[in-house]
């Protein structure tokens, strides 16, 4: 991670409890985006974001999230997910009905977002 070490406590706990051979470190902010491109390392990433999109990273699968354990500081399950939501100006609801319906019904998969971001990053 970078900065102060995003989720470093949970990563350290998961590595210890689940016998994962990790050496956990915090990269300088300037190195965070480059380090995984030149070294074979596990890294923390959030989506949607283009920082590591061309590496096509895969996620480490942890046991299903146990919210009660996380609230007690036991971090051995998957981190809690944050759902992306769509927001629109309140004026859309009162504007042209078709525009409001289009926005309301719009759905897009994570894979499609990744594909759009990769093409954008590559200038296509």
């Amino acid at each position: 991670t970078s900065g102060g070490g995003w989720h470093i406590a949970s990563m350290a706990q998961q590595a210890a409890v689940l016998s994962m051979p990790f050496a956990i470190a915090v990269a300088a902010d300037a190195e965070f985006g480059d380090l995984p491109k030149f070294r074979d390392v596990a890294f923390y990433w959030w989506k949607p974001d283009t920082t590591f999109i061309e590496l096509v990273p895969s996620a480490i699968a942890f046991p299903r999230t146990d919210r009660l354990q996380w609230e007690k500081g036991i971090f051995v399950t998957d981190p809690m997910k944050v759902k992306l939501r769509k927001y629109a100006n309140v004026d859309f609801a009162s504007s042209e009905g078709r525009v409001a319906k289009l926005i309301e019904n719009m759905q897009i998969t994570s894979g499609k977002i990744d594909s759009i971001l990769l093409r954008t990053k590559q200038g296509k």
Side-chain angles (χ1 to χ4, degrees), residues 5 27 42 51 53 61 69 95 108 121:
T51 306
I53 194 109
Q69 281 188 342
S95 69
I108 189 167
K121 188 172 184 178

Side-chain angles (χ1 to χ4, degrees), residues 26-91:
V26 177
D29 287 339
E31 297 172 348
F32 175 72
D34 292 328
L35 193 61
K37 296 174 185 172
F38 301 106
R39 298 279 186 253
D40 187 17
V41 296
F43 55 91
Y44 192 89
W45 186 40
W46 51 90
K47 292 171 73 174
D49 179 71
T50 61
T51 306
F52 304 115
I53 194 109
E54 69 277 5
L55 299 177
V56 191
S58 56
I60 297 173
F62 293 103
R64 177 179 276 161
T65 303
D66 184 328
R67 183 180 298 265
L68 294 177
Q69 281 188 342
W70 272 77
E71 288 172 0
K72 293 177 184 175
I74 303 168
F75 305 122
V76 296
T77 61
D78 201 29
M80 288 180 254
K81 303 287 188 247
V82 176
K83 213 172 196 172
L84 289 178
R85 303 194 186 280
K86 56 188 172 206
Y87 293 96
N89 186 303
V90 294
D91 291 337

Side-chain angles (χ1 to χ4, degrees), residues 2 6-7 9 12 14 20 24 33 40 54 62 72 88 106 116:
S2 69
W6 182 257
H7 274 285
Q14 288 167 328
M20 299 167 72
I24 298 174
D40 187 17
E54 69 277 5
F62 293 103
K72 293 177 184 175
M106 189 175 81
I116 292 167

